[in-house]
Amino acid sequence: MGEVKTGRQQRQEKVAQTRARMIDAAYRLFTQRGYPATTMADIAAEAGVAVQTLYFTFRTKAELLQNVYERAVIGDADAPPEHQPWYAAMMAAPELDEALRILIDAVAAVLARTAPLDDYVKAASHDPEPARIRAHNEHLRRESWTQFIDHLSAKAPLQPGLTRQQATDILLMLMGPASYQTLVGEYGWTPQQWRDWCRQTASTMLFADHPA
């Protein structure tokens, strides 16, 4: 027999579902119309809630955009990347090839959600609010990729003369939203082709004596 939920638990669950519905509605509209052209009233109508509910939950469109970014990154896992199973598997992988494969597979899944959003938000960079949100998330991405370089270079040394920062810069470019959106979204590459290209390029450019 399943656990009977209390009235408080049911209310909390309903609030969480409504919050997720509003974030998902904002994601759809931001990636269809762009950030500037989407109003809070549009998002409320798409989510099936009163606009007052949207403002009460997120206060501003910029704060809602930040929540959309965060949900796009974590997906349905409901946990930050470092607390997801793939991260532990990457850390535990004894060889660079396996660690890279796990990392790139995870990143590809994230970019399938974030790259379209980033494309539209970047186009709105004349607006200080989305520009600020994007810059904040780029800062977080750089911190994560610096940690990835540290983990990967413990399994295989970096190319001679390649600094930790340079290696991080290369990965940020190689496995970034612009790369994914251009090759997969515009040029028709399959996600698997993009993953294979990233693995081969990262292996040969970043790590010493490690052919692809």
Side-chain angles (χ1 to χ4, degrees):
M1 185 175 178
E3 179 183 354
V4 177
K5 296 179 181 179
T6 66
R8 181 180 180 182
Q9 288 173 323
Q10 291 176 340
R11 288 192 297 273
Q12 289 175 335
E13 188 174 274
K14 184 176 180 180
V15 167
Q17 290 171 347
T18 302
R19 181 185 179 88
R21 194 166 73 248
M22 290 187 287
I23 292 173
D24 289 344
Y27 175 89
R28 287 193 298 274
L29 294 182
F30 288 157
T31 55
Q32 289 170 8
R33 305 178 184 177
Y35 180 86
T38 302
T39 67
M40 292 290 269
D42 293 334
I43 297 167
E46 177 77 9
V49 300
V51 71
Q52 293 89 345
T53 301
L54 193 63
Y55 275 109
F56 178 79
T57 305
F58 300 105
R59 296 187 300 174
T60 66
K61 191 166 74 162
E63 184 175 333
L64 175 56
L65 176 62
Q66 177 59 38
N67 279 268
V68 170
Y69 258 111
E70 291 170 1
R71 176 143 172 99
V73 169
I74 67 174
D76 295 328
D78 201 26
E82 62 269 22
H83 295 152
Q84 295 181 25
W86 70 263
Y87 194 97
M90 179 193 71
M91 293 285 291
E95 301 292 337
L96 176 67
D97 281 343
E98 179 65 8
L100 269 177
R101 184 192 64 77
I102 294 168
L103 173 61
I104 292 168
D105 284 351
V107 170
V110 171
L111 288 178
R113 299 186 296 267
T114 59
L117 175 66
D118 189 77
D119 213 29
Y120 276 97
V121 174
K122 188 176 181 180
S125 58
H126 60 278
D127 187 327
E129 283 305 300
R132 176 180 62 81
I133 296 297
R134 185 175 184 275
H136 171 70
N137 284 280
E138 280 297 293
H139 175 73
L140 296 178
R141 198 165 73 90
R142 175 169 288 278
E143 287 184 340
S144 295
W145 282 110
T146 301
Q147 293 175 4
F148 292 150
I149 283 293
D150 290 342
H151 297 324
L152 295 172
S153 61
K155 302 176 191 296
L158 295 176
Q159 291 280 5
L162 187 67
T163 67
R164 177 175 178 250
Q165 179 175 336
Q166 289 171 332
T168 301
D169 293 342
I170 290 170
L171 274 191
L172 281 167
M173 180 277 298
L174 183 67
M175 290 185 252
S179 157
Y180 189 91
Q181 187 68 356
T182 298
L183 295 177
V184 178
E186 296 179 26
Y187 294 171
W189 285 33
T190 67
Q192 185 59 54
Q193 287 173 323
W194 182 87
R195 291 194 294 267
D196 291 342
W197 172 72
C198 284
R199 183 187 60 78
Q200 292 165 2
T201 305
S203 294
T204 55
M205 288 189 65
L206 298 180
F207 300 99
D209 303 320
H210 194 86

mmCIF file of all heavy atoms in Angstrom, residues 15 17 21-22 50 81 120 154-155 161 164 177 180:
data_model
loop_
_atom_site.group_PDB
_atom_site.id
_atom_site.type_symbol
_atom_site.label_atom_id
_atom_site.label_comp_id
_atom_site.label_asym_id
_atom_site.label_seq_id
_atom_site.Cartn_x
_atom_site.Cartn_y
_atom_site.Cartn_z
ATOM 1 N N VAL A 15 2.407 23.019 -5.644
ATOM 2 C CA VAL A 15 3.187 24.242 -5.857
ATOM 3 C C VAL A 15 4.395 23.948 -6.747
ATOM 4 O O VAL A 15 4.710 24.706 -7.673
ATOM 5 C CB VAL A 15 3.636 24.844 -4.511
ATOM 6 C CG1 VAL A 15 4.695 25.924 -4.721
ATOM 7 C CG2 VAL A 15 2.440 25.435 -3.763
ATOM 8 N N GLN A 17 4.747 21.516 -8.918
ATOM 9 C CA GLN A 17 4.298 21.222 -10.278
ATOM 10 C C GLN A 17 3.938 22.497 -11.032
ATOM 11 O O GLN A 17 4.257 22.642 -12.217
ATOM 12 C CB GLN A 17 3.100 20.271 -10.229
ATOM 13 C CG GLN A 17 3.445 18.858 -9.779
ATOM 14 C CD GLN A 17 2.209 18.004 -9.545
ATOM 15 O OE1 GLN A 17 1.084 18.517 -9.489
ATOM 16 N NE2 GLN A 17 2.404 16.705 -9.396
ATOM 17 N N ARG A 21 5.751 24.016 -14.333
ATOM 18 C CA ARG A 21 4.949 24.313 -15.521
ATOM 19 C C ARG A 21 5.222 25.734 -16.024
ATOM 20 O O ARG A 21 5.305 25.976 -17.234
ATOM 21 C CB ARG A 21 3.466 24.125 -15.202
ATOM 22 C CG ARG A 21 2.586 24.072 -16.446
ATOM 23 C CD ARG A 21 1.192 23.559 -16.141
ATOM 24 N NE ARG A 21 0.379 24.519 -15.440
ATOM 25 C CZ ARG A 21 -0.031 24.399 -14.178
ATOM 26 N NH1 ARG A 21 0.299 23.320 -13.473
ATOM 27 N NH2 ARG A 21 -0.786 25.314 -13.612
ATOM 28 N N MET A 22 5.380 26.671 -15.107
ATOM 29 C CA MET A 22 5.680 28.050 -15.497
ATOM 30 C C MET A 22 7.068 28.147 -16.120
ATOM 31 O O MET A 22 7.263 28.855 -17.116
ATOM 32 C CB MET A 22 5.554 28.978 -14.281
ATOM 33 C CG MET A 22 4.112 29.161 -13.801
ATOM 34 S SD MET A 22 3.930 30.402 -12.487
ATOM 35 C CE MET A 22 4.638 29.536 -11.071
ATOM 36 N N ALA A 50 -2.495 32.556 -13.412
ATOM 37 C CA ALA A 50 -2.697 34.002 -13.382
ATOM 38 C C ALA A 50 -1.343 34.693 -13.434
ATOM 39 O O ALA A 50 -0.359 34.197 -12.870
ATOM 40 C CB ALA A 50 -3.445 34.402 -12.112
ATOM 41 N N PRO A 81 24.670 19.132 -11.631
ATOM 42 C CA PRO A 81 25.452 18.102 -12.322
ATOM 43 C C PRO A 81 26.384 17.317 -11.416
ATOM 44 O O PRO A 81 26.517 16.090 -11.552
ATOM 45 C CB PRO A 81 26.237 18.912 -13.365
ATOM 46 C CG PRO A 81 25.358 20.084 -13.658
ATOM 47 C CD PRO A 81 24.702 20.423 -12.347
ATOM 48 N N TYR A 120 18.987 32.527 -28.255
ATOM 49 C CA TYR A 120 18.017 33.625 -28.213
ATOM 50 C C TYR A 120 18.404 34.681 -27.177
ATOM 51 O O TYR A 120 18.218 35.881 -27.408
ATOM 52 C CB TYR A 120 16.623 33.089 -27.910
ATOM 53 C CG TYR A 120 15.889 32.587 -29.132
ATOM 54 C CD1 TYR A 120 15.882 31.242 -29.451
ATOM 55 C CD2 TYR A 120 15.216 33.464 -29.981
ATOM 56 C CE1 TYR A 120 15.214 30.765 -30.579
ATOM 57 C CE2 TYR A 120 14.551 33.012 -31.109
ATOM 58 C CZ TYR A 120 14.547 31.662 -31.404
ATOM 59 O OH TYR A 120 13.898 31.208 -32.526
ATOM 60 N N ALA A 154 44.212 14.673 -14.463
ATOM 61 C CA ALA A 154 44.727 13.713 -13.486
ATOM 62 C C ALA A 154 44.799 12.307 -14.091
ATOM 63 O O ALA A 154 45.519 11.440 -13.594
ATOM 64 C CB ALA A 154 43.854 13.701 -12.235
ATOM 65 N N LYS A 155 44.044 12.085 -15.167
ATOM 66 C CA LYS A 155 44.040 10.783 -15.838
ATOM 67 C C LYS A 155 45.040 10.746 -16.997
ATOM 68 O O LYS A 155 45.537 9.684 -17.368
ATOM 69 C CB LYS A 155 42.629 10.467 -16.353
ATOM 70 C CG LYS A 155 41.566 10.461 -15.259
ATOM 71 C CD LYS A 155 40.177 10.231 -15.832
ATOM 72 C CE LYS A 155 39.084 10.496 -14.777
ATOM 73 N NZ LYS A 155 39.143 9.557 -13.639
ATOM 74 N N GLY A 161 53.232 22.750 -22.551
ATOM 75 C CA GLY A 161 53.040 24.178 -22.789
ATOM 76 C C GLY A 161 51.608 24.649 -22.707
ATOM 77 O O GLY A 161 51.349 25.856 -22.735
ATOM 78 N N ARG A 164 46.437 25.319 -17.760
ATOM 79 C CA ARG A 164 45.116 24.931 -17.274
ATOM 80 C C ARG A 164 44.044 25.865 -17.814
ATOM 81 O O ARG A 164 42.965 25.433 -18.228
ATOM 82 C CB ARG A 164 45.153 24.962 -15.747
ATOM 83 C CG ARG A 164 43.863 24.667 -15.010
ATOM 84 C CD ARG A 164 44.198 24.632 -13.523
ATOM 85 N NE ARG A 164 43.061 24.397 -12.670
ATOM 86 C CZ ARG A 164 42.539 25.325 -11.856
ATOM 87 N NH1 ARG A 164 43.037 26.548 -11.837
ATOM 88 N NH2 ARG A 164 41.509 25.018 -11.078
ATOM 89 N N PRO A 177 27.530 26.032 -26.175
ATOM 90 C CA PRO A 177 26.246 26.120 -26.869
ATOM 91 C C PRO A 177 26.374 26.567 -28.314
ATOM 92 O O PRO A 177 25.623 26.108 -29.183
ATOM 93 C CB PRO A 177 25.446 27.131 -26.034
ATOM 94 C CG PRO A 177 26.369 27.709 -25.046
ATOM 95 C CD PRO A 177 27.563 26.839 -24.951
ATOM 96 N N TYR A 180 27.445 23.538 -30.446
ATOM 97 C CA TYR A 180 26.357 22.563 -30.594
ATOM 98 C C TYR A 180 25.250 23.114 -31.491
ATOM 99 O O TYR A 180 24.764 22.420 -32.391
ATOM 100 C CB TYR A 180 25.795 22.196 -29.221
ATOM 101 C CG TYR A 180 24.817 21.046 -29.259
ATOM 102 C CD1 TYR A 180 25.261 19.739 -29.087
ATOM 103 C CD2 TYR A 180 23.458 21.262 -29.468
ATOM 104 C CE1 TYR A 180 24.376 18.671 -29.119
ATOM 105 C CE2 TYR A 180 22.565 20.212 -29.519
ATOM 106 C CZ TYR A 180 23.035 18.912 -29.334
ATOM 107 O OH TYR A 180 22.147 17.862 -29.389
#
